[in-house]
Amino acid sequence: MTLSMYQASLPVMTRMMRNLDAILAKAAAHAEEKKIDPAVLIGSRLYPDMFALARQVQIVTDTAKGCAARLAGVEPPKYDDTETTFAELAARLQKTIDYLESFKAGQIDGTEKKDITLKLGGKPVTFTGEFYLLNFVLPNFYFHVSTAYGILRHSGVPLGKMDYLGQLA
């Protein structure tokens, strides 16, 4: 049995964005319960030279929508990156989930050998679709989901591994 490009990408990222949405909801509830200004959590970062929580979530969604669009051969939608509240971050996640769910498997499957060119460091870099997905998109996507989780856990939000993994069955 083979795993398709679609199966390895959009449903996986959609699931993790739903998990991240649930994590953000726990963070919002924690902030309310502990009388913490939500802006403090949204602006938190693990280290001064790393992006804050809001930017981590923005990169998660940018990575997901860019992957879907590039593999399908369409222009990715542009988002303004202006989210400053948990509700706005949740809306961005949902907008991206809705975008990913608008694609059919046939638009993504068969793109293993497709050339995908990105500008990285101001220079064009070309990947095959399979390399792009497995060695660029997914590691980048999981890095930023994990970092968002880490920021909130480090900030005292009561999260565990199952919050990150979500429902497994």
Side-chain angles (χ1 to χ4, degrees), residues 43-110:
S44 291
R45 55 189 78 224
L46 290 177
Y47 196 75
D49 68 350
M50 292 180 74
F51 289 127
L53 176 66
R55 187 70 186 123
Q56 300 293 339
V57 175
Q58 291 164 350
I59 294 170
V60 165
T61 59
D62 289 346
T63 302
K65 67 185 171 71
C67 174
R70 289 182 188 101
L71 289 176
V74 299
E75 189 67 26
K78 295 189 184 344
Y79 296 170
D80 290 332
D81 297 339
T82 57
E83 296 81 13
T84 59
T85 68
F86 284 117
E88 290 170 347
L89 291 171
R92 183 181 177 119
L93 284 165
Q94 188 58 56
K95 179 168 61 169
T96 306
I97 290 166
D98 292 344
Y99 179 70
L100 266 58
E101 289 179 338
S102 75
F103 288 87
K104 304 287 185 225
Q107 293 174 272
I108 307 299
D109 286 340

Side-chain angles (χ1 to χ4, degrees), residues 142-158:
Y142 280 113
F143 173 84
H144 292 285
V145 172
S146 297
T147 302
Y149 171 94
I151 288 168
L152 292 171
R153 185 67 191 102
H154 179 74
S155 298
V157 177

Side-chain angles (χ1 to χ4, degrees), residues 102-161:
S102 75
F103 288 87
K104 304 287 185 225
Q107 293 174 272
I108 307 299
D109 286 340
T111 59
E112 294 85 351
K113 303 289 183 219
K114 178 181 183 171
D115 284 341
I116 306 289
T117 302
L118 301 175
K119 281 200 172 187
L120 299 176
K123 298 177 186 174
V125 178
T126 301
F127 306 101
T128 64
E130 182 177 9
F131 190 92
Y132 168 69
L133 174 62
L134 298 177
N135 297 287
F136 183 78
V137 169
L138 291 177
N140 191 43
F141 178 84
Y142 280 113
F143 173 84
H144 292 285
V145 172
S146 297
T147 302
Y149 171 94
I151 288 168
L152 292 171
R153 185 67 191 102
H154 179 74
S155 298
V157 177
L159 299 169
K161 184 186 262 187

